[in-house]
Amino acid sequence: IGNFSEDDVSTLKAYSSYVENLNTSALLLRGTSGISAIEAFGPEGMKVSCPEYTDAELREILMLLRPLILEREFASFKKVQAIIKKGFQNRAVSDIMKLAMRKYEHGELSEYMQISVADQPLFDKSLVNTWLNSEHYHMDLDKIEKWNEIKQALGEENVRAVTISHIISMINSI
C-alpha cells in the first residue's frame, strides 16, 4: 500500500476528476487513434494520415487536457506521476511510471523512428508545445515562426496529423 499525504490525496482526486472529464469528450467517446499511415512520394514529399477530427473536437480535447498537460497546474500528469512514484516507492510502479512518462513525452512512434524538420523532432512533446504556444494557448512569436517553418516543410495536413497523433499518445499515457 502507498504512503500519501493529505495534499497528495487531494491532488490525486483532482487528477482523477480531470481524467474522468477527459474521458467524456466527444473524441474519446467516438474512439481515437494516431497516425494510420506514412507514405513517401519521392521528391514530392510525404503524406501522413490519421482519422479525421473536427476543430470542435480538438478544441474540447485541448480544454480538457489543459490542467493535465500544463506542468504548473495543480494536478498535472507530471506532478501526479511523481506523487505516485514517491507514494509507492516500489520498483515495479516506478518502472510503469517511467514508461508512461516516456510515451507521454516522446509519443508511441518515437520507439520506432524519429524524423526532424527544421531542427524539431516530430515525435516529441516539444512539437505539441510549439503548436500550442503558437496557435492555441499563447502567441509566442518565436514559436509562431518555428511552427510556420514546420508547416511550410511538411504541409498543414501532415503536421496536423503528427501533432494529433502525439496528443493521442499523451492521452493514452494519462
Side-chain angles (χ1 to χ4, degrees):
I1 308 276
N3 183 18
F4 300 96
S5 70
E6 286 184 32
D7 286 344
D8 291 344
V9 171
S10 177
T11 301
L12 291 170
K13 283 181 179 179
Y15 176 81
S16 179
S17 176
Y18 294 145
V19 171
E20 200 172 296
N21 289 339
L22 178 64
N23 286 329
T24 65
S25 68
L27 186 62
L28 294 185
L29 289 174
R30 180 165 56 86
T32 62
S33 64
I35 292 174
S36 56
I38 299 175
E39 302 172 68
F41 297 105
E44 299 91 43
M46 66 179 197
K47 167 104 172 95
V48 180
S49 302
C50 75
E52 292 291 320
Y53 305 104
T54 67
D55 287 340
E57 289 172 323
L58 193 55
R59 279 192 302 275
E60 179 189 29
I61 281 288
L62 291 177
M63 181 188 73
L64 294 170
L65 274 174
R66 187 179 176 107
L68 296 165
I69 65 174
L70 294 180
E71 294 175 12
R72 292 184 183 161
E73 290 288 334
F74 170 68
S76 71
F77 176 65
K78 206 167 227 182
K79 285 182 183 172
V80 165
Q81 183 250 8
I83 288 170
I84 291 170
K85 281 171 62 174
K86 179 186 78 172
F88 284 106
Q89 294 184 4
N90 175 293
R91 179 65 183 198
V93 171
S94 181
D95 288 347
I96 290 168
M97 293 290 98
K98 189 184 288 185
L99 288 172
M101 185 54 74
R102 183 180 189 325
K103 185 161 70 169
Y104 176 83
E105 290 287 339
H106 303 290
E108 293 161 332
L109 290 176
S110 72
E111 294 178 31
Y112 308 104
M113 66 178 155
Q114 186 56 269
I115 301 169
S116 292
V117 173
D119 295 324
Q120 170 63 58
L122 296 184
F123 307 121
D124 193 85
K125 185 176 179 267
S126 62
L127 178 73
V128 174
N129 290 342
T130 299
W131 175 63
L132 291 174
N133 290 316
S134 66
E135 294 195 357
H136 292 280
Y137 292 163
H138 305 287
M139 294 301 185
D140 183 318
L141 294 178
D142 292 337
K143 301 287 186 190
I144 291 170
E145 186 178 315
K146 183 71 155 181
W147 186 250
N148 287 335
E149 190 178 347
I150 295 166
K151 283 194 311 188
Q152 178 72 30
L154 276 183
E156 183 99 26
E157 290 304 312
N158 287 335
V159 77
R160 179 179 167 103
V162 171
T163 305
I164 289 171
S165 176
H166 193 84
I167 289 171
I168 299 303
S169 287
M170 292 169 71
I171 290 169
N172 290 340
S173 299
I174 291 171

